[in-house]
Structure formats: structure tokens, C-alpha cells
């Protein structure tokens, strides 16, 4: 399973570990993902989504129906 947020499309970033001697080695900054169930009242059903913490805050602010509609318009959900 890939580590991609299903609502925002966030993926892992690549950067460097930098030591005190300024030696650089590659590392990954993974997305803070949560597997969460949401109830969509309009469709009267439950959906399970892998969402980032920032997407969860957006859902709390605008609602799950609006967040899914926005993700579908941006092409992140089918």
C-alpha cells in the first residue's frame, strides 16, 4: 500500500540527514497518515479512507461530504 493521502494527494518528500560534520545522506519525510472510518449521512453509508492529519482537520472544518466532493473534483478520488 502506498503512503498517499486519499483526499489531498500528499506523498512522502525526500531530503537529507545532515550530521554535525555536514555529511548528507538521503532520507524520507513520510506523510502523517491515519486509517479512518467516516459516516456519510447523505448516502447513509460508512467509508474508510487513508487521510493525512491535515486532511482530518479539513474534514472537521468543512465536513466529510464537502471534502470528498473537493477531492473528486481534483482527481484524488474516483
Amino acid at each position: 500500500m502506498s503512503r498517499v493521502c486519499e483526499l489531498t494527494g500528499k506523498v512522502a518528500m525526500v531530503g537529507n540527514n545532515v550530521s554535525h560534520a555536514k555529511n548528507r545522506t538521503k532520507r524520507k519525510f513520510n506523510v502523517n497518515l491515519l486509517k479512518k472510518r467516516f459516516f456519510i449521512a447523505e448516502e447513509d453509508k460508512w467509508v474508510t479512507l487513508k487521510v493525512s492529519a491535515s486532511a482530518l482537520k479539513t474534514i472537521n472544518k468543512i465536513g466529510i461530504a464537502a471534502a470528498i466532493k473537493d477531492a473528486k473534483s481534483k482527481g484524488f478520488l474516483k
Side-chain angles (χ1 to χ4, degrees), residues 31-47:
V31 182
N32 186 8
L33 288 180
L34 306 163
K35 194 171 183 182
K36 190 86 173 128
R37 281 179 72 210
F38 298 100
F39 183 73
I40 304 173
E42 291 83 12
E43 299 176 16
D44 195 38
K45 69 175 184 178
W46 289 90
V47 292

Side-chain angles (χ1 to χ4, degrees), residues 16-28:
N16 288 311
N17 277 329
V18 181
S19 71
H20 185 68
K22 302 290 190 269
N23 297 329
R24 287 169 167 82
T25 56
K26 287 292 185 182
R27 64 160 291 184
K28 272 183 135 177

Side-chain angles (χ1 to χ4, degrees), residues 45-60:
K45 69 175 184 178
W46 289 90
V47 292
T48 302
L49 297 171
K50 277 195 324 186
V51 294
S52 63
S54 62
L56 194 57
K57 289 172 73 174
T58 303
I59 291 168
N60 287 336

